[in-house]
Amino acid sequence: MAMSHKIQLDDSWLTPLAQEFEAPYMLALRQFLLEQKRAGKTIYPRGADIFTALNLTHLDHVKVVIVGQDPYHGPGQAHGLCFSVLPGVPQPPSLKNIFREIGNDLSPGTAIYSSTQCNLVPWAKQGVLLLNSVLTVEHKRAGSHQGKGWETFTDRIIETLNASRDGLVYLLWGSYAQRKGAIVDTKRNLVLRSPHPSPLSAYRGFFGCGHFSRTNAYLKNNGTQEIDWLLVD
């Protein structure tokens, strides 16, 4: 049976991406993951969650694209959406800074998030594609699955969006995401760039970037429903 028939992926994405699952790079990636499993490695997220970003945000529903790098590598963190962690897991530092900027941007002087809010599924359901460049990682080994093929696959996702959708907002935080999104047509879409929200770089321009209000202003001007950035679990 073809690999594309085995994966659980929404048809809106599977149709344009089907050939990727038979490409040599993807077959090599699949073999690598199988070998990791046979070797007893713990891989995040669990298999059923690898394509969560695509399954929650269908191709024709995407309004905003946020590009991350690779999944969190601690227990209970990664669940297929960049920057998001499952309920009950402490907010990672980058997510804390994202929430801080949202508060300053949309509701200055107001504490709008508690430390238990960390799950960005409500964003994904509104049309925010929370896409990591690499979709798996080994336990406690950050970046361990880089260079194995995922980057090519997620490049195809961005290429598919760029070819088929106009009027999207791309939030490219940090040099890695900015290189990843370099192909996006800035005449047909809004591309917003800033430093990464990590503690190492957030003070270099992520804080004060105003990306969340600017995103909503662009969507509104294009007749698209705005994102409720305050809605998280």
Side-chain angles (χ1 to χ4, degrees):
M1 184 181 294
M3 185 179 175
S4 60
H5 293 161
K6 296 180 181 180
I7 64 166
Q8 298 298 314
L9 183 59
D10 174 72
D11 285 345
S12 71
W13 289 107
L14 184 57
T15 298
L17 296 173
Q19 64 183 4
E20 300 302 315
F21 291 97
E22 306 303 331
Y25 81 87
M26 185 60 85
L27 297 177
L29 172 58
R30 181 174 182 266
Q31 184 62 32
F32 166 75
L33 293 173
L34 288 172
E35 290 172 356
Q36 293 282 290
K37 184 177 180 179
R38 292 191 189 110
K41 306 288 188 181
T42 299
I43 305 300
Y44 303 127
R46 66 191 184 109
D49 290 338
I50 290 174
F51 298 112
T52 292
L54 302 178
N55 287 327
L56 285 180
T57 312
H58 299 174
L59 175 59
D60 52 342
H61 294 162
V62 176
K63 301 176 185 176
V64 180
V65 182
I66 298 179
V67 177
Q69 192 160 350
D70 62 344
Y72 296 120
H73 53 85
Q77 291 184 310
H79 64 116
L81 303 177
C82 70
F83 295 107
S84 179
V85 293
L86 292 169
V89 177
Q91 292 173 354
S94 291
L95 185 57
K96 286 183 180 180
N97 287 340
I98 290 169
F99 287 163
R100 175 177 171 180
E101 174 58 22
I102 292 173
N104 290 337
D105 187 14
L106 302 180
S107 186
T110 303
I112 56 175
Y113 295 105
S114 73
S115 61
T116 60
Q117 292 176 299
C118 52
N119 188 339
L120 304 183
V121 166
W123 291 6
K125 290 182 176 179
Q126 295 179 77
V128 181
L129 181 64
L130 296 160
L131 180 68
N132 273 318
S133 177
V134 177
L135 300 187
T136 57
V137 69
E138 183 181 339
H139 172 71
K140 294 298 184 183
R141 292 193 61 212
S144 53
H145 290 186
Q146 292 180 11
K148 302 299 183 181
W150 280 128
E151 293 93 338
T152 300
F153 179 71
T154 51
D155 280 347
R156 299 294 177 268
I157 292 171
I158 295 175
E159 290 167 6
T160 297
L161 283 165
N162 190 52
S164 62
R165 297 290 314 281
D166 295 343
L168 305 186
V169 182
Y170 291 79
L171 303 183
L172 305 179
W173 300 331
S175 58
Y176 184 95
Q178 289 160 24
R179 289 192 300 270
K180 188 83 171 171
I183 68 163
V184 175
D185 187 338
T186 57
K187 294 180 180 179
R188 298 186 291 109
N189 304 279
L190 177 64
V191 178
L192 298 177
R193 303 176 178 88
S194 80
H196 194 275
S198 76
L200 296 175
S201 56
Y203 285 94
R204 299 174 188 168
F206 178 77
F207 290 138
C209 68
H211 281 187
F212 304 97
S213 60
R214 292 169 67 186
T215 293
N216 278 353
Y218 179 84
L219 294 175
K220 184 177 181 179
N221 287 341
N222 281 275
T224 302
Q225 180 67 41
E226 301 161 75
I227 304 299
D228 183 355
W229 296 108
L230 306 183
L231 184 62
V232 298
D233 288 340

